[in-house]
Every structure is written in C-alpha cells, then in structure tokens.
Amino acid sequence: MALLEVKDLQVYYGMIQALKGISFEVGQGEVIALIGANGAGKTTTLHAVTGLLPKKAGTVTLGGRDITKIPPHKIVEMGMAHVPEGRRVFAHLSVYQNLKMGAYIRREKEEFSRNLEMVYQKFPRLKERRNQPAGTLSGGEQQMLAMGRALMSQPKILLMDEPSMGLSPIFVNEIFKIIEEVSAAGTTVLLVEQNAKKALSIADRAYVLETGNIVLSGNARELLNDESIKKAYLGE
Ligand code: ATP
C-alpha cells in the first residue's frame, strides 16, 4: 500500500480547471518528484493534498485513511508536513520561535528538545542564528528554516514546494543533500520542482505535469535520459 495515494484529483479556481483528474502514488520511503513548467499545477496539487484547497473530485489517502475532506491542521497531526513555496517563515519571530511553531503538535518537552537538537545538527547555521529574526536570514537560510520547521513535527511524509527557487547553486546543492539525508533517515518525500534536473537526480520516481494532467511518469533515472524530457525540461 502506498503511503500517499491521489486518485482522479480535480481542482478548480472558479471556472478554471487547474487539475484535470490526476492520479499518483508515493510509496513508503520513496522520494517522488513532481516536475513541470510554470503554471502546470504543481503548487495546486500540493495545496489540494494538504487540505488547503477544496477538491472538486477525487480522493487523497494517507496511510490507508481517506483524508480528502480532512482540514489541514488535522492532516499535519496525521504526519504530513508542508514546506511552502517561497518559504513563508515568520519574519519577525526568531529562528528558534519559528522552529517552535513547527512543533505545536509535539507538546512533550523532551521530544521537543530532541527534535530541536536534530534540526540544529542538520542545520548548524540555524543554531548559530537561533535568536536572530527569521526575516534577516538569507534566502537559503530561510529555506533551511522552513525545512527545519516542518521536520519539528516529525512527519512521515514531507511535501516540498520548489525548494531551489531563488537560491544560488551552492545553496541548492546543500538543500538537496539535506533532502537526501532526510529521506535516508526514513522520511518519505514529495518534491515539487521546476529544476527538473536536480529533482530527477535525487528522486526514485517522477511524474510530469502539463496543464493539469500527468503526461508522463516513471523511474527518475530513466526520465533523466528521456529525449522528450531532455528537450522540454532539461534545456538540452
Ligand atoms: P509555478 O511553478 O509557477 O507555481 P505550478 O505548476 O505550481 O506553477 P500552479 O500554481 O499550481 O502551477 O497553477 C496552476 C494553474 O492554476 C495556473 O494556470 C494558474 O494560473 C492557476 N491558478 C493558480 N492559483 C490560482 C488562483 N488563486 N486563482 C486562479 N487561478 C489560479
């Protein structure tokens, strides 16, 4: 059984259909990439899965439980964390306070300290800057904070929206290395990326989204060598 299963998902913005009945699966322990051009529907997919957007049709199942109509905060409690596009850290709160917000479902003190230490270990820069307002961090550091905040809830599955956006190549490499580590430590990952090359290089499998439809899917390594993918998404 897949950890996350999306079936025939349709989402509208008013009269405009953004998702036209997409289906995909994320297996326990997998890293799945969802790639596609600007406006293909990648962010819409994540927002529908996390409960932030209403669905016109289709189902979303997490660990065998139907979460199609469950509100976002309950979905977080069920083990899904979301790192949104553009980071969305709380700019006026300190790094530490941002991390604390991510742990609101983990109220036990010892568990909180353990998770905080784990995040600081992964992101030593966040530890150094723990008392600094999050708004004063660089883009890459804010991406780390958004990831750290999501990890504070000890998610079974981490949904990431365009982690590479606006970052320098060095930071992109660093962030992707951490995604691999998080995956190796047992967290399942659904990664939305316009940087298809990077996403395919760390993913197990991938789905290609085009104007609200999944047009191609398969093994990430094979897609990396697929001629149509190379032309359309890898700039080759
Ligand atoms: P990007 O990488 O640019 O975020 P995306 O693949 O994530 O692209 P979405 O943001 O999911 O794409 O958008 C899918 C489609 O839905 C686009 O045509 C977009 O214009 C439309 N759309 C997105 N948000 C809204 C909204 N709030 N109201 C109306 N249309 C929207």
Side-chain angles (χ1 to χ4, degrees), residues 14-187:
M15 301 285 283
I16 298 169
Q17 188 169 20
L19 295 180
K20 299 171 182 164
I22 65 165
S23 301
F24 63 94
E25 286 183 5
V26 182
Q28 173 73 45
E30 280 190 309
V31 176
I32 297 297
L34 195 56
I35 61 173
N38 237 309
K42 304 181 299 297
T43 297
T44 301
T45 303
L46 289 195
H47 285 175
V49 167
T50 55
L52 291 169
L53 270 178
K55 304 147 193 80
K56 181 82 173 181
T59 54
V60 181
T61 319
L62 179 65
R65 281 181 69 186
D66 186 345
I67 59 163
T68 313
K69 297 201 164 81
I70 307 267
H73 67 280
K74 291 266 189 246
I75 294 180
V76 174
E77 287 170 17
M78 291 168 71
M80 183 184 284
H82 177 208
V83 183
E85 189 172 14
R87 281 71 94 171
R88 307 284 162 92
V89 297
F90 302 102
H92 299 292
L93 299 184
S94 70
V95 166
Y96 168 77
Q97 285 166 327
N98 269 272
L99 292 174
K100 207 168 162 193
M101 296 288 246
Y104 76 97
I105 64 164
R106 304 274 161 206
R107 294 197 181 90
E108 208 210 311
K109 224 173 163 189
E110 262 174 46
E111 202 182 8
F112 171 79
S113 307
R114 232 183 2 253
N115 289 339
L116 186 66
E117 215 29 67
M118 175 271 292
V119 168
Y120 282 158
Q121 217 168 12
K122 243 184 222 6
F123 305 101
R125 250 177 241 260
L126 295 183
K127 188 171 189 177
E128 283 164 26
R129 292 161 170 72
R130 61 187 176 277
N131 296 318
Q132 195 170 315
T136 62
L137 298 177
S138 76
E141 290 162 355
Q142 287 188 22
Q143 183 64 51
M144 291 175 177
L145 179 55
M147 264 186 97
R149 184 179 58 187
L151 291 173
M152 287 298 290
S153 69
Q154 285 184 297
K156 294 194 190 89
I157 180 165
L158 187 65
L159 274 50
M160 302 202 57
D161 198 348
E162 304 264 4
S164 77
M165 195 170 59
L167 302 187
S168 68
I170 290 174
F171 262 122
V172 172
N173 287 340
E174 208 165 323
I175 293 288
F176 273 76
K177 203 178 101 221
I178 293 164
I179 298 173
E180 285 185 295
E181 285 171 19
V182 166
S183 159
T187 306

